[in-house]
Amino acid sequence: MDTRINILLLCGGGGAEHDISLLSAQYFESCLASRADVNLIWLALDGKGQYHTKDGKKCELTNRREIRFDDETDAWRVDYVIPCIHGYPGETGDIQSYFNLINLPYFGCESEASSNCFNKITAKMWFTALGIPNTPYLFVNQVDDESIRRCEAAFDAWGSLFVKAASQGSSVGCFKVDKREEIAPILSKAFSYSPYVIVEKTIRARELEVAVYEYQGDVIATKPGEIICADNTFYTFEEKYAASSHATTQVEASNLSETQIEQIRDYAVRAFKGLKLRHLSRIDFFLSDEGEILLNEINTFPGLTKISMFPKMLAHHGEDFTEYLLNNIKAQLS
């Protein structure tokens, strides 16, 4: 009898982060490919909802928890799935809802937690409810005179704004506003990415990231790492992944006091537990020039490329990623 676990590695999604998802999937594949206790099948999901293999063979994931192919290839039983999809439909909770419907176990945060974190407005309401400081903000649901007036008043009070599409990941649809006359056109641009927009006070701050994960029954928060951008810039999608990026990363941030480190880790664990996250998340903070620690955002399925912070911080904390991954999978299936 074959006792190996049949794991579906699902990537793509067809959105702005489709190609990054393929790179992250390579990391999972490299971790699992040589394991004798695992059978692995790799599928990509395109923007039309079609699944296909690496060689382009079309297939579908059925409610019987099987991969069925369009040709005569035998169906493939699925025991477990890793939805390595950044942005829609992975971090939005949509794909997890389908897995729940067909009772298919999966790695990562569940559907409601994913949805709550992906929407920046919902997430900030949760941060506040959990007593975790976060950036001052306005909620905007349309571009009209009243919305522009409110944003102009915020600009006058704060001096600079970030305008963000509420339901996008990886800094997609995120714009810095340093001139009052830019507010209306940038609001309109942000609404082209999302039906809701959040307007935040610009914080002059260090950008710190914490890997938070479950391992052997514990929730663990690493020491903060740091993203260091060029002066007066922010960590855009291009800065994260372009070869010409000037941003640098430190797997462990320097010049933090023990009090600051422990406060950040405490907030990270409180957010992970309070929002009912599962298995992994990357939780990002600002440390302002005034010494404020502010929770910025939560990535429920962080990037796992060769430059990504989550796997680096997990390894720096002393964990082997493959053992951590299989520990969670087998605990869920036992």
Side-chain angles (χ1 to χ4, degrees):
M1 180 180 177
D2 190 351
T3 60
R4 290 176 293 179
I5 305 169
N6 285 352
I7 298 178
L8 165 60
L9 179 54
L10 183 60
C11 56
E17 300 177 77
H18 180 99
D19 291 342
I20 307 305
S21 173
L22 302 186
L23 294 176
S24 292
Q26 289 177 11
Y27 186 84
F28 280 100
E29 191 172 24
S30 68
C31 291
L32 295 173
S34 61
R35 293 287 306 204
D37 50 353
V38 165
N39 284 321
L40 189 67
I41 187 169
W42 182 104
L43 294 182
L45 177 66
D46 64 26
K48 296 181 179 179
Q50 176 67 62
Y51 299 96
H52 58 82
T53 63
K54 282 185 178 179
D55 58 4
K57 186 181 295 185
K58 292 182 178 180
C59 54
E60 61 179 335
L61 172 61
T62 74
N63 59 6
R64 295 183 178 182
R65 303 193 301 182
E66 293 179 330
I67 303 298
R68 291 191 171 272
F69 297 89
D70 288 355
D71 58 19
E72 300 303 314
T73 304
D74 291 340
W76 201 86
R77 188 190 81 253
V78 179
D79 299 316
Y80 195 88
V81 59
I82 302 173
C84 183
I85 300 176
H86 308 309
Y88 175 81
E91 286 182 277
T92 59
D94 293 85
I95 198 78
Q96 291 86 353
S97 292
Y98 178 63
F99 298 150
N100 290 338
L101 188 65
I102 64 173
N103 198 29
L104 175 58
Y106 57 91
F107 184 68
C109 296
E110 297 190 73
S111 55
E112 186 173 9
S114 298
S115 177
N116 285 338
C117 290
F118 192 76
N119 186 298
K120 294 177 175 66
I121 297 167
T122 307
K124 289 181 76 67
M125 293 170 69
W126 270 98
F127 302 160
T128 300
L130 292 169
I132 303 173
N134 55 90
T135 311
Y137 74 100
L138 300 175
F139 162 54
V140 182
N141 65 349
Q142 60 186 3
V143 182
D144 58 14
D145 291 343
E146 174 62 16
S147 295
I148 294 170
R149 185 197 63 75
R150 291 173 61 228
C151 292
E152 288 175 342
F155 182 91
D156 294 341
W158 297 337
S160 177
L161 306 174
F162 268 100
V163 176
K164 301 178 180 180
S167 298
Q168 286 288 339
S170 207
S171 302
V172 176
C174 180
F175 309 96
K176 191 168 185 282
V177 179
D178 289 320
K179 297 179 181 178
R180 205 172 191 268
E181 60 269 24
E182 295 176 339
I183 291 173
I186 286 181
L187 274 178
S188 296
K189 192 171 183 179
F191 272 104
S192 71
Y193 289 90
S194 172
Y196 308 102
V197 165
I198 190 167
V199 178
E200 294 182 337
K201 177 183 179 180
T202 297
I203 305 293
R204 291 187 60 84
R206 296 170 66 179
E207 297 189 41
L208 306 175
E209 301 186 342
V210 178
V212 188
Y213 54 95
E214 291 182 298
Y215 189 42
Q216 296 179 344
D218 294 324
V219 175
I220 300 168
T222 66
K223 291 183 177 180
E226 183 167 9
I227 307 297
I228 303 171
C229 297
D231 288 344
N232 202 35
T233 64
F234 70 98
Y235 204 36
T236 63
F237 183 85
E238 290 74 19
E239 281 291 301
K240 288 180 184 179
Y241 299 113
S244 59
S245 173
H246 296 293
T248 60
T249 60
Q250 291 182 347
V251 71
E252 183 175 336
S254 59
N255 300 318
L256 295 176
S257 70
E258 286 301 316
T259 299
Q260 289 171 325
I261 291 170
E262 290 311 308
Q263 182 65 84
I264 290 168
R265 295 174 79 182
D266 176 71
Y267 284 151
V269 171
R270 192 190 306 181
F272 192 96
K273 292 181 176 180
L275 277 151
K276 306 294 185 183
L277 307 183
R278 189 178 69 169
H279 297 156
L280 79 169
S281 286
R282 197 193 73 236
I283 302 184
D284 300 348
F285 292 87
F286 292 135
L287 176 60
S288 77
D289 290 353
E290 292 74 34
E292 295 176 289
I293 297 169
L294 302 171
L295 204 167
N296 178 29
E297 65 177 8
I298 296 176
N299 290 267
T300 54
F301 210 101
L304 290 158
T305 71
K306 62 182 180 180
I307 63 170
S308 296
M309 287 288 277
F310 183 92
K312 290 182 178 180
M313 289 188 289
L314 186 141
H316 184 69
H317 195 74
E319 317 294 9
D320 177 85
F321 188 89
T322 302
E323 292 304 317
Y324 143 76
L325 175 62
L326 286 170
N327 178 267
N328 279 289
I329 291 173
K330 291 180 178 180
Q332 203 172 345
L333 293 176
S334 62

